[in-house]
Amino acid sequence: MAIKPKYVKQLATLLLEQYPQSFNTDFETNKENVTKLTNVESKGVRNRIAGYITRKKAGSAASA
């Protein structure tokens, strides 16, 4: 597993705190929402953020 940069984790956590209803365990949906809610220009960084959010949501759903 790759280590995520600090800025990816920070932005993903911020998005999850501010818009928890906008994200779920589907990567494609999360990718679209990250694009709408941020001004990140890099496709790779947006995908990393969406992937991190997806993983966090899947982990919280499994533990619930």
Side-chain angles (χ1 to χ4, degrees):
M1 170 174 39
I3 298 171
K4 302 283 185 258
K6 185 177 180 180
Y7 61 88
V8 169
K9 291 180 181 182
Q10 286 177 332
L11 188 51
T13 302
L14 184 67
L15 287 171
L16 281 171
E17 288 173 358
Q18 291 184 351
Y19 308 101
Q21 71 286 354
S22 297
F23 301 103
N24 56 33
T25 57
D26 179 48
F27 173 74
E28 294 298 325
T29 304
N30 293 343
K31 188 166 65 170
E32 291 174 16
N33 288 331
V34 168
T35 303
K36 290 177 194 172
L37 297 171
T38 66
N39 61 352
V40 176
E41 294 181 12
S42 169
K43 180 179 170 184
V45 173
R46 279 197 310 261
N47 286 349
R48 284 179 183 219
I49 294 167
Y52 186 74
I53 289 172
T54 303
R55 190 171 179 120
K56 292 292 270 186
K57 285 297 232 178
S60 66
S63 64

